[in-house]
């Protein structure tokens, strides 16, 4: 059993602070080929999570600490929905259906629990949406 406690969350958050990408994953799944991916994703403000989609996979974000904005987009890059999730606000997460463009903006140091179907498939360059500013 792996316990998700303050020690684990703080450790992953510290690794994110020291990372050039300003984020760090802690995987509960054993392999990138596993059928279900479950992991902590620690994010620092300034990290870049490009708008992307998973053509065949739903994705769930549950926030354990901090505050992030999750937005969905149409194929033209226009925002369809935007939601700030934070334990303090009582909005704890979102579920993104397959093939929906989405992105995450870190508003304060945060840790998410993420779940999605495996195996891992790297995003192709043309799989990233150029959103309108």
């Amino acid at each position: 059993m792996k316990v998700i406690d303050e020690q684990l969350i703080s450790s992953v958050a510290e690794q994110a602070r020291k990372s050039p990408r300003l984020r760090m994953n802690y995987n509960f799944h054993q392999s990138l080929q596993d059928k279900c991916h479950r992991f902590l994703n620690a994010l620092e403000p300034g990290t870049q999570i490009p708008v992307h989609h998973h053509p065949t996979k739903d994705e769930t974000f549950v926030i354990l600490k901090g505050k992030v904005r999750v937005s969905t987009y149409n194929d033209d890059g226009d925002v369809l929905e935007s939601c700030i999730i934070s334990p303090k606000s009582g909005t704890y997460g979102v579920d993104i259906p397959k093939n929906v463009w989405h992105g995450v903006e870190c508003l304060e140091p945060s840790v998410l629990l993420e779940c999605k179907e495996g195996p891992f498939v790297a995003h192709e360059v043309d799989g990233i949406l150029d959103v309108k500013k």
Side-chain angles (χ1 to χ4, degrees), residues 3 7 9 20-23 25 27 39 41 43 47 61-62 66-67 69 100 102 111 123 128:
V3 177
Q7 182 178 349
I9 288 172
R21 296 175 63 214
L22 298 175
R23 60 184 158 127
N25 287 2
N27 295 341
F39 56 97
N41 192 353
L43 311 166
T47 190
F61 301 110
V62 177
K67 184 189 324 185
R69 178 188 325 275
V100 172
H102 61 283
V111 178
H123 299 295
I128 304 300

Side-chain angles (χ1 to χ4, degrees), residues 31-47:
S31 160
L32 293 179
Q33 297 306 309
D34 284 358
K35 292 182 180 182
C36 181
H37 288 198
R38 299 134 10 251
F39 56 97
L40 299 179
N41 192 353
L43 311 166
E44 288 289 309
T47 190

Side-chain angles (χ1 to χ4, degrees), residues 72-118:
T72 61
Y73 302 84
N74 65 19
D75 289 340
D76 294 324
D78 299 313
V79 174
L80 294 174
E81 293 181 89
S82 188
C83 178
I84 294 177
I85 59 175
S86 168
K88 291 179 185 175
S89 72
T91 304
Y92 299 103
V94 296
D95 186 67
I96 307 290
K98 66 183 173 187
N99 208 33
V100 172
W101 293 103
H102 61 283
V104 177
E105 177 187 0
C106 182
L107 302 174
E108 64 184 50
S110 300
V111 178
L112 300 169
L113 175 64
E114 295 189 32
C115 297
K116 63 184 161 191
E117 181 184 344

Side-chain angles (χ1 to χ4, degrees), residues 14-24:
E14 180 63 23
Q15 292 175 51
R17 278 190 288 281
K18 293 178 179 179
S19 167
R21 296 175 63 214
L22 298 175
R23 60 184 158 127
M24 184 61 60

